[in-house]
Amino acid sequence: MRASRFLSAVALSVCAATLAGGCADGGDGSGPGPVPRSVRAQDDLLKSAESALVRRCLTERQIAARADGSDGQGRGVAPRREFPYGIDDPGWAARHGFGIPVERGPREQEVSASKEQQRLSDALFGTGRRELSTRTATGLVVRANSDGCLAEAQRVLYGDLGRWFRTEVTVNNLAATAHRRVTQDPVHRAALARWSRCVAPVQYADSPGELRGAWQRRARDLAPREATALQQRYAVTEARCVRRTDLALTGARLEKRYAAELRAEYADVIAEHRQLRDHGLRYAVRHGL
């Protein structure tokens, strides 16, 4: 259930952004060109093609996509950085803390989704029993409907919805699988224990995640300025100790090894996923998407 909801939330945010921005079609009258060579350009083409097909499906179902123009990044939100094994940049930590925005006042009650929003969500993701299902390398079961516009777009683009869903979920989960194997590795655990001893004089924590939790518990009773200062203090402590114990470097080194092992372990699935992507790229170019 949780994995399915997360997948739907991510897909909805992507759809909302692409639907709001429209779809690029070149606009120069030159017609379809060759398949892009770079992975990033291929990803952009597939995203644009999928968006175009979703819009077409929504139009056929007489569903109007609405967007508020928000970019999803409120004021005070730190620039996006990935620190999978703890913040290793003390300067960034001093400026942005953990990158968690501090509440400036009472949180307003969330407004329930309107009937139009629910109708759009149902049209995008489908309703009823989730016919698509696959188990990831981490053991999570991910499910989705096959009767929504997103599924219809993927069926048209990739030729086989079931194969695409299975391989897409599996391949996209490999990074999380590698991360999980790193956190279970004795070498990483030893580095994490050293890190825990390093931060203990400021705040005891078994992991960077627990350090964030400790800050959030204390921040509830603090004014916003004090909560921000405490977050920065904890984050700088985390970063300095990550540097001293090589926690992030250890994690990155182990992840490289586990990622290579997973690529070999799932070589057949990766090749099948690549084949389906190629099908989608050719379709997108051939149909000017």
Side-chain angles (χ1 to χ4, degrees):
M1 287 290 289
R2 183 176 300 173
S4 298
R5 289 172 183 167
F6 175 76
L7 186 67
S8 295
V10 171
L12 180 59
S13 65
V14 171
C15 283
T18 53
L19 290 172
C23 303
D25 61 0
D28 58 1
S30 59
V35 172
R37 299 188 64 177
S38 74
V39 174
R40 181 172 182 177
Q42 290 176 357
D43 289 343
D44 289 343
L45 175 58
L46 290 174
K47 187 182 299 182
S48 175
E50 190 172 289
S51 176
L53 292 169
V54 166
R55 289 171 65 88
R56 183 185 302 171
C57 174
L58 291 173
T59 299
E60 291 172 351
R61 299 187 187 192
Q62 298 182 333
I63 303 293
R66 299 178 60 185
D68 59 6
S70 171
D71 62 2
Q73 295 187 11
R75 289 176 298 175
V77 177
R80 184 172 179 79
R81 289 279 302 274
E82 296 292 340
F83 299 106
Y85 303 103
I87 299 171
D88 61 354
D89 185 340
W92 190 93
R95 293 189 298 274
H96 305 295
F98 298 125
I100 304 173
V102 175
E103 294 294 333
R104 300 297 177 181
R107 181 176 297 178
E108 297 181 0
Q109 185 177 4
E110 293 183 0
V111 180
S112 61
S114 67
K115 291 183 179 179
E116 291 80 7
Q117 289 172 322
Q118 186 61 51
R119 190 172 176 226
L120 173 59
S121 178
D122 289 346
L124 280 172
F125 303 117
T127 57
R129 187 176 66 85
R130 290 172 176 159
E131 303 89 348
L132 302 172
S133 177
T134 190
R135 186 179 297 274
T136 69
T138 55
L140 290 176
V141 175
V142 180
R143 296 185 175 91
N145 293 95
S146 63
D147 60 337
C149 282
L150 182 59
E152 176 62 23
Q154 293 172 343
R155 182 183 292 109
V156 171
L157 192 59
Y158 301 109
D160 187 322
L161 177 61
R163 288 175 64 207
W164 173 253
F165 178 80
R166 175 178 55 81
T167 59
E168 172 78 348
V169 170
T170 300
V171 170
N172 285 345
N173 189 253
L174 292 181
T177 305
H179 180 85
R180 183 178 180 179
R181 292 186 181 182
V182 168
T183 60
Q184 296 173 342
D185 190 288
V187 175
H188 178 267
R189 288 183 175 179
L192 192 60
R194 294 193 299 271
W195 176 89
S196 180
R197 291 193 295 270
C198 180
V199 301
V202 175
Q203 172 65 50
Y204 177 79
D206 285 334
S207 67
E210 188 173 312
L211 187 61
R212 287 158 177 71
W215 168 75
Q216 288 173 326
R217 289 191 294 273
R218 291 191 59 183
R220 294 192 190 108
D221 300 323
L222 299 176
R225 181 176 296 180
E226 294 173 324
T228 298
L230 184 65
Q231 180 180 174
Q232 292 167 335
R233 181 187 177 207
Y234 279 11
V236 168
T237 299
E238 172 183 320
R240 288 174 176 169
C241 288
V242 166
R243 287 281 188 91
R244 290 172 186 170
T245 60
D246 286 337
L247 179 62
L249 290 175
T250 299
R253 184 177 67 253
L254 291 170
E255 185 175 291
K256 185 176 180 180
R257 187 185 87 198
Y258 284 121
E261 291 179 0
L262 284 164
R263 285 194 299 271
E265 186 177 343
Y266 287 88
D268 291 344
V269 178
I270 293 171
E272 186 178 6
H273 183 257
R274 177 71 261 180
Q275 182 184 49
L276 292 167
R277 274 177 57 95
D278 289 343
H279 181 283
L281 290 166
R282 292 193 299 272
Y283 184 96
V285 169
R286 187 165 62 250
H287 291 82
L289 299 175

